[in-house]
Amino acid sequence: MKFFIDTADTAEIRDLAATGLLDGVTTNPSLVAKSGRDFIEVVQEICEIVSGPVSAEVAATDHETMLAEGKRLAGLAPNIAVKVPLTPDGLKTCKALSGEGTMVNVTLCFSPGQAILAAKAGATFVSPFVGRLDDISTPGMALIEDICRIYAQYPDFKTQVLVASIRHPMHVVEAARMGAHVSTMPPNVIRQLFAHPLTDKGLAAFLADWEKTGQSILGDDKKVRSVSHG
Ligand code: G3P
């Protein structure tokens, strides 16, 4: 499963990119507004930090302007994935851009029917928003399961299921169980995936017992300062 980070905060992207676990980045107009930065500038910086796909969303709603915006965004860097909404004009733009070899991420997907249309339009990624469905008492992960099952029936569908609007680690785990290709998640969810109290407790016990041996793997002159785990 690919891990994308869902933010336009370049400090967070740099920090998590350093783990070597990041495969891409997704942004949207709300995340860019939250960053308080110039859109083109922040997208270009993100594309320099992460070599994987970086989703940058058009702001227009009509095909002609979406296409022009999409071409401008695609020209910013080779790893740009142009994000378009799942509307008739958005899919028309998806078809045109993907036909020119541009990666397209079709976003704001909330039904299996919409996901079929995205695949037919040649989308590189489709972004079903699981958290927003959960927010209205509709099982978001059931949509992911449905889309994965439908896509598996058609080998010529090349669209990757990019699970979005993730709220917690179990969305990621369940998406992986279903075979979704990508999870895009806020920085805190990635960090939550690492965390387990028994890991911390076990490591503290190992370090305490190692300390008692008085030994050093690197040799006494290069002894690494023992890390105390509270
Ligand atoms: O990539 C889409 C994601 O940013 C939407 O998340 O939390 O606004 O539903 P959320």
Side-chain angles (χ1 to χ4, degrees):
M1 171 178 266
K2 294 177 197 141
F3 276 18
F4 289 7
I5 187 172
D6 192 39
T7 183
D9 181 332
T10 50
E12 286 280 27
I13 296 169
R14 287 185 194 283
D15 182 51
L16 285 165
T19 65
L21 298 173
L22 275 197
D23 301 300
V25 180
T26 52
T27 71
N28 62 41
S30 302
L31 292 171
V32 171
K34 188 177 173 187
S35 77
R37 293 187 54 184
D38 175 81
F39 178 35
I40 299 298
E41 210 175 85
V42 73
V43 166
Q44 285 177 313
E45 183 179 342
I46 294 172
C47 288
E48 288 160 9
I49 301 169
V50 177
S51 59
V54 175
S55 290
E57 190 161 340
V58 298
T61 53
D62 67 290
H63 168 61
E64 189 182 352
T65 315
M66 279 182 178
L67 188 57
E69 290 180 345
K71 288 184 175 187
R72 177 161 193 228
L73 294 174
L76 296 176
N79 55 327
I80 284 282
V82 176
K83 229 181 186 183
V84 296
L86 215 155
T87 63
D89 279 60
L91 292 186
K92 193 173 172 185
T93 305
C94 174
K95 188 84 176 170
L97 290 172
S98 60
E100 293 172 358
T102 296
M103 285 192 287
V104 182
N105 179 356
V106 174
T107 191
L108 290 168
C109 174
F110 293 97
S111 77
Q114 286 181 319
I116 295 168
L117 288 169
K120 288 181 67 64
T124 313
F125 305 105
V126 65
S127 292
F129 279 31
V130 297
R132 293 193 189 183
L133 286 167
D134 287 355
D135 291 346
I136 60 165
S137 307
T138 306
M141 293 314 293
L143 173 61
I144 301 302
E145 190 164 37
D146 209 358
I147 295 171
C148 288
R149 186 182 303 120
I150 291 168
Y151 278 17
Q153 309 304 316
Y154 300 95
D156 60 326
F157 277 4
K158 304 302 180 197
T159 303
Q160 297 177 54
V161 180
L162 193 163
V163 183
S165 186
I166 282 177
R167 297 276 194 277
H168 49 70
M170 287 318 293
H171 275 153
V172 182
V173 171
E174 286 172 44
R177 286 191 181 120
M178 295 170 184
H181 304 85
V182 189
S183 280
T184 192
M185 60 199 100
N188 66 297
V189 172
I190 297 185
R191 296 195 175 95
Q192 283 174 281
L193 279 168
F194 281 102
H196 197 294
L198 288 181
T199 303
D200 293 344
K201 188 177 174 200
L203 182 56
F206 285 161
L207 293 175
D209 291 341
W210 176 254
E211 196 69 20
K212 291 172 194 160
T213 71
Q215 297 178 59
S216 163
I217 294 171
L218 296 179
D220 283 345
D221 57 327
K222 300 191 188 75
K223 185 175 180 184
V224 175
R225 182 178 57 78
S226 64
V227 177
S228 60
H229 276 253

